[in-house]
């Protein structure tokens, strides 16, 4: 899957507790079977810590 959607991100981060570190979110996404593209975007996120899902979405989708 080349394009990822906010719904894909929500599914990948199901069960996340915030605040959460980037590494914890990457591990959770991998465990939830997230697409490699999404995992790569999370892994390369500029922030080390996220206070909530809105923050993650802004970082991943750049808005």
């Amino acid at each position: 899957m080349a394009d990822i959607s906010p719904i894909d991100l929500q599914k990948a981060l199901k069960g996340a507790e915030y605040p959460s570190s980037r590494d914890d979110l990457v591990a959770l996404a991998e465990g939830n079977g997230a697409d490699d593209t999404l995992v790569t975007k999370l892994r390369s996120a500029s922030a080390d810590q996220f206070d909530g899902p809105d923050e993650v979405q802004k970082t991943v989708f750049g808005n």
Side-chain angles (χ1 to χ4, degrees):
M1 167 168 71
D3 294 329
I4 55 173
S5 73
I7 293 171
D8 296 326
L9 181 62
Q10 289 174 358
K11 289 178 183 177
L13 299 181
K14 183 177 180 180
E17 296 183 16
Y18 296 94
S20 189
S21 72
R22 177 183 53 226
D23 292 340
D24 287 344
L25 293 179
V26 167
L28 179 63
E30 289 174 330
N32 284 339
D35 184 83
D36 289 340
T37 304
L38 193 147
V39 173
T40 299
K41 280 196 168 260
L42 280 173
R43 190 173 279 129
S44 63
S46 57
D48 291 330
Q49 184 87 7
F50 296 94
D51 291 328
D54 290 342
E55 221 176 89
V56 179
Q57 186 165 327
K58 286 177 185 175
T59 301
V60 169
F61 294 106
N63 54 10

